[in-house]
Structures are given as C-alpha cells and as structure tokens.
Amino acid sequence: MRRPGVFVINSVLTLFLHLRWWKRPTTIMDLNMDSLVHCTSHLNLQDISNMAMSCKYLRAVAYSDSVWQSLSRARWPSPIPYYNSQKSSVRDAYLARHTALQQLKFEDPVIDNFLFNLKSHDHLLFLDNRIILSEGPVIRTLDIGINSGGYDSVLTLNDHRARITCMRLFSFSDTTVCRSGELRNSTVLVTSSCDHTIRLWSKGSCYRCYRGHSGGVTTLSDKLLGDSNEKIFASGGVDGTVRLWSSYPKGKRGQQALKGTLYGHEKPVILMVVAGHRSSLLVSMSKDSKVRVWDAFTSSAARSSCCVGMTSVYGVPVGMKCDGSLLYVATGSSVVVIDLRTMREVSTVMHKSQLHSFDVLPSRSLICTGATGSAKLWDLRRSSETFKAEPLAELDGHEGPVKHIRMDAYKIVTGGPDDCYVKVWEVDTGAFTNSLNCAPDHPTPGFGCSAVAVRGCRIVTAGSNGGEGSLCYRDFSSATQPVSSDNSIPASKFWDSSSYSDTDESYD
C-alpha cells in the first residue's frame, strides 16, 4: 500500500513538471506530425530541402507523401502514372520526373519557331524569357510569350559597324549603371565588335559606348571583376592589350571609363575568364596559346607589373573556363588543368583528334570534348596518369565537327554546323536521351546547328543553311509523353564501365 507521504511528493513533483513545461518556450518540435506535414506542404522546394537536412524528425516530415503530392500538383496539374508506378514514394516519383524533364526525355515540348533572313547566327544568349542573337553587326532580341505562345516582340539593334565578336550579360545590381530601383535588378547586354568599340545596351538602345582599343575588340571577361565597392569588366583585342573598364564611368560620355591597359601579350587576345577563388584575378589567353594571369586591382604605374602568373600550352586555342583556383584550357587535341595558385599543370586529357569545343562540370570532375563526328566524356577522377586515361563514354552519331557543347548537372547537349540535329545525353553515363531538329518546320536540306543555349528544361537552337536562318525554342517543363525506347540514334560507347566504381556521391 502506497504511503500518503509518497503520494503527496509524487503529486507535487508532477505539478512542478507541468509548471516547468508551461514556462518553456514553444518550438516547432512541439507540433505533432500531422500539423507539421500540413504546414510543410505550403513551402517551396528549396525550403523543403533545407528542412530535410536539419534533423531526422523534420526529414521524416519533409519526405511525407502529402508534401510531395502538393509539390507535384502545383508544378504538374496532370500526373504521369508511368513514373509513379515505378517508384516507392511520391517523392521518388517527383524527383524522377524532374530529372527526366531536365534531361529533355520527352517528345512533346512546347515549340516555337522563328524565321530570319540571316546567313548564320554568331552568338546566342538565353535569359528568362528573352532570346538574344547576333549575325554580323546586327543584334536581335525576342521576348517569348509566356501565356499565348510565340513571341511578343522582336527588336533589332544595329549600332555596331562591324561583326560582333562577343556578347555578355551582366546584372544591373553589379554594374550599378542605373541606381534607380526600377532597373537595379535587371540585366544589361555588353557586346564587343571588330569596329574597335564595346557597347552596353539598356532598354532596347545603346546606353554607353566604350572606345580605347587600336584594333578590333575580340573578347570580354566572362564575369565582372572586383568586390561590391567597385566593379569593372575587361576586354581583349587584336592589338594584344587587355583593357579594364569601369561599369559606372563618370561623366556624360564616360571619359573616365578606361581604368587601365595591361600589356604583355604579343598576339591578339582571344579568350578571357575571371578566376573563381579571387575576383580580382583575370586570366587571358592570346592566339599563340600564351596564358597570363593579371591582378586587375594592383596599384602600379607600370601596368605590366599586374601580371602575376604566366604559362603556355601547346596547340590552337579552343576554349578556356575557370572554377575556383583551377583553370581548364582546351587547345589542339588536349585539355590541360592548371592550378592558378602555383601555375602548374595538375591534369591533362589527351584527345586523339583535333578539338572543336569543350565544356566542364567541375562539381563532378567531368569534361566533355567535341571532335569530328562525336564528342567524348571524361572523368578526371578515373586516372591520374595522363596517357592511360580513357574516356568515360563516346557521344557518337554526329555529322561533321561538334562545335557546340553545353553541360549542366543533368545533361550534355551537343551539336555542329553540319548536323541539323542536336543530341542530348545523360551527364553521369553519357547515355543518349533525345535528338532535336534545329529546323523542324523547314524540310530544306543543308540546315545545320549554328548556336545552342540551354536553361534547365528549356533549350534554344539556331539553324542555318547559308541563306536563311531558323530559331527554335523548346520548353519541356509541361511535357507528358516520354521519348520512345526504340530511338534509332545509337547509344554512346563505354570503356570498361563495369570495372569503375565511384563511391564519392555528388548531390545538386
């Protein structure tokens, strides 16, 4: 029999614990599972992903079928049973469909075609719902209709007097060209030309013209240099100089736009990138395959002293990209990886034939190189010995040189001027997924792919046969019909794929 004193003590202790609970601040963990699931179903995908990484309890909430059903209904009003039937949860089905859309594995995208009387398309950019393309000295911009389909407007910009050599898009918030709130979050177009000028375009007109090169301007930096206090961009020219320009020059005519001129190259500067680990470092490459690294913000009267690193590679320059402190340089028949901190070569991919293009996916150590008739996918982690490295896959089936390669976390898109079709491949395996006609409404023979731009599950391809041009816009975001399995395009070739096991998983 329980003694009265023990009963009283237990009662007081219980009351004390209740009082302590009421004084404790309420947190999200006090909600039950059903309430948390209901609240989570109103979050966006990014917030749900962040929630899943916080703790095991909230991850269980974030992985709930009800949450992913809400996401699926919001993004795709009509579900696809084909994907749902093969997965064990709604989340898996959602991710499978998202991946398939990003890899363009569907036959029924929204398609818009545009005709232009252009012999070729030199450059092509794709931003949000705007397409920007150039041919010779002419720039055309198209605003894609969101609701009605087709395009809403076409604007022609023809202030340049010679061929446009490079086009870049910079954010207004970085360039501070206009300090008004209306334009601060928009994007400006910067172009260089053989007419010795650089032009900045805003609201359908030339906002500013930069002059200083004694010859044609051949290239522009891929990003802005500097921190939030001062932003500049760089240009390279036929005169062999690298010139630094203020993104917000003083004076009505921008007389003080030129911030400095860097000397050192003996041949025309044709490639230029900004280092990933230091925003003040600019890497330039000349036609003779000489590479120089400049500190754009070094204070010195002798501008040549801004050069903080030099090297040279063998072969005709093809392309150059930078990620962190690693510089990827494609020349001749090889891709060389250089550590900008030491200017030493850390890896090399040797191709058996002349390269026409290349792209890099640094997060997965993947490189794709384009040659004649095919492209090759390389994994830098497979072998540290340059001459024993074999490609992960060969992306076969092209006609002529593969001059266009676009890589992202899901896919590889390849194309060339002698082939009317661009081809899509899985980025992890190189497996073929789709083939897209650059001119689906034009049976005229001779059309080839002259330019490609990709943003997620949307793709723009430009085709030309030397007399007329065709621009095709495809949006796969609402596609529902998967690509049939009996596609006639051959799959990629693999080299000893079964013997290679990568335990280092990568996530987007």
Side-chain angles (χ1 to χ4, degrees):
M1 182 176 180
R2 180 179 297 179
R3 289 176 296 178
V6 175
F7 177 78
V8 172
I9 292 174
N10 288 337
S11 301
V12 173
L13 181 60
T14 303
L15 179 61
F16 175 77
L17 291 176
H18 278 286
L19 291 175
R20 287 289 304 272
W21 185 86
W22 283 109
K23 290 182 179 180
R24 182 175 63 84
T26 303
T27 66
I28 191 173
M29 303 300 291
D30 294 323
L31 295 175
N32 58 45
M33 179 71 74
D34 291 339
S35 299
L36 282 174
V37 168
H38 178 73
C39 295
T40 305
S41 63
H42 295 282
L43 300 178
N44 58 37
L45 183 60
Q46 183 62 55
D47 292 335
I48 293 173
S49 300
N50 294 337
M51 181 177 175
M53 293 186 292
S54 59
C55 67
K56 291 183 178 180
Y57 182 72
L58 292 182
R59 182 176 63 183
V61 175
Y63 282 13
S64 170
D65 284 351
S66 299
V67 172
W68 290 90
Q69 284 173 353
S70 298
L71 286 174
S72 183
R73 285 193 297 267
R75 184 173 177 183
W76 306 300
S78 57
I80 302 180
Y82 172 80
Y83 286 103
N84 294 341
S85 62
Q86 294 187 349
K87 298 298 177 179
S88 58
S89 70
V90 179
R91 174 179 175 273
D92 290 335
Y94 181 98
L95 295 178
R97 183 175 181 183
H98 171 79
T99 299
L101 289 173
Q102 294 292 321
Q103 294 175 341
L104 314 185
K105 292 183 177 180
F106 292 85
E107 296 181 346
D108 59 337
V110 175
I111 301 179
D112 291 323
N113 291 295
F114 316 101
L115 291 177
F116 294 100
N117 187 22
L118 298 178
K119 295 181 180 180
S120 65
H121 305 85
D122 297 325
H123 304 279
L124 178 64
L125 299 176
F126 184 26
L127 176 68
D128 297 330
N129 293 302
R130 175 164 294 182
I131 301 172
I132 306 171
L133 66 154
S134 71
E135 191 267 341
V138 179
I139 302 171
R140 284 185 171 85
T141 66
L142 295 81
D143 291 328
I144 301 297
I146 301 175
N147 298 320
S148 59
Y151 58 89
D152 294 332
S153 63
V154 178
L155 181 64
T156 301
L157 309 174
N158 51 14
D159 291 21
H160 279 298
R161 295 294 177 261
R163 181 176 61 87
I164 294 170
T165 57
C166 187
M167 297 198 308
R168 304 292 190 195
L169 290 169
F170 295 139
S171 171
F172 251 118
S173 59
D174 292 331
T175 59
T176 61
V177 170
C178 182
R179 300 182 184 275
S180 66
E182 179 183 357
L183 296 177
R184 193 157 182 80
N185 294 324
S186 60
T187 303
V188 294
L189 173 67
V190 182
T191 59
S192 61
S193 171
C194 291
D195 63 6
H196 304 193
T197 68
I198 301 164
R199 293 182 180 270
L200 187 150
W201 308 86
S202 175
K203 288 191 171 182
S205 63
C206 180
Y207 182 86
R208 199 175 297 277
C209 181
Y210 299 87
R211 302 178 186 272
H213 283 279
S214 60
V217 187
T218 51
T219 186
L220 299 168
S221 58
D222 62 333
K223 294 185 294 185
L224 295 173
L225 293 111
D227 53 22
S228 58
N229 296 324
E230 184 179 10
K231 289 286 188 178
I232 63 176
F233 66 91
S235 63
V238 175
D239 56 10
T241 65
V242 173
R243 298 181 185 255
L244 308 175
W245 307 91
S246 171
S247 61
Y248 186 62
K250 298 179 181 179
K252 293 183 179 180
R253 298 183 180 273
Q255 297 93 334
Q256 302 179 25
L258 184 62
K259 304 293 291 185
T261 303
L262 310 180
Y263 300 93
H265 285 294
E266 298 177 354
K267 298 293 182 178
V269 180
I270 57 175
L271 297 172
M272 193 175 292
V273 295
V274 177
H277 67 301
R278 285 182 58 188
S279 61
S280 64
L281 294 184
L282 176 72
V283 185
S284 60
M285 186 175 184
S286 55
K287 198 172 183 179
D288 56 1
S289 298
K290 300 293 180 61
V291 178
R292 286 179 175 263
V293 183
W294 315 85
D295 192 332
F297 290 87
T298 296
S299 177
S300 174
R303 300 304 295 182
S304 60
S305 65
C306 294
C307 183
V308 295
M310 293 184 295
T311 189
S312 61
V313 290
Y314 178 78
V316 178
V318 175
M320 187 167 63
K321 294 181 181 295
C322 193
D323 178 72
S325 61
L326 296 181
L327 178 69
Y328 300 81
V329 184
T331 57
S333 59
S334 64
V335 179
V336 180
V337 185
I338 300 171
D339 191 333
L340 294 176
R341 297 168 297 184
T342 61
M343 296 306 296
R344 293 184 178 180
E345 178 183 325
V346 296
S347 183
T348 301
V349 168
M350 297 297 297
H351 208 283
K352 294 182 179 179
S353 57
Q354 175 68 36
L355 297 182
H356 298 288
S357 59
F358 96 115
D359 203 355
V360 181
L361 191 63
S363 62
R364 302 187 187 180
S365 300
L366 295 177
I367 295 177
C368 189
T369 55
T372 300
S374 67
K376 291 184 179 181
L377 179 65
W378 308 80
D379 190 336
L380 294 177
R381 298 166 296 186
R382 293 194 63 175
S383 175
S384 59
E385 299 181 29
T386 298
F387 297 100
K388 292 185 178 180
E390 292 289 344
L392 177 65
E394 182 172 354
L395 318 182
D396 212 348
H398 278 287
E399 297 180 8
V402 178
K403 291 193 173 183
H404 311 295
I405 297 178
R406 301 291 182 268
M407 294 179 69
D408 60 28
Y410 296 92
K411 61 186 173 294
I412 306 170
V413 179
T414 57
D418 297 337
D419 197 337
C420 188
Y421 288 87
V422 297
K423 295 175 177 56
V424 188
W425 319 79
E426 291 184 3
V427 73
D428 292 320
T429 63
F432 174 78
T433 63
N434 208 344
S435 182
L436 309 174
N437 194 335
C438 291
D441 291 345
H442 299 276
T444 306
F447 262 90
C449 177
S450 55
V452 179
V454 183
R455 288 182 66 87
C457 56
R458 299 186 298 165
I459 180 172
V460 179
T461 56
S464 174
N465 62 359
E468 60 179 345
S470 173
L471 196 70
C472 184
Y473 164 79
R474 289 177 171 90
D475 186 355
F476 286 81
S477 59
S478 59
T480 58
Q481 183 178 349
V483 174
S484 58
S485 59
D486 58 346
N487 201 306
S488 60
I489 301 296
S492 58
K493 300 176 183 178
F494 293 86
W495 279 263
D496 195 22
S497 59
S498 61
S499 64
Y500 173 61
S501 176
D502 184 9
T503 58
D504 182 15
E505 296 181 353
S506 298
Y507 299 93
D508 298 327

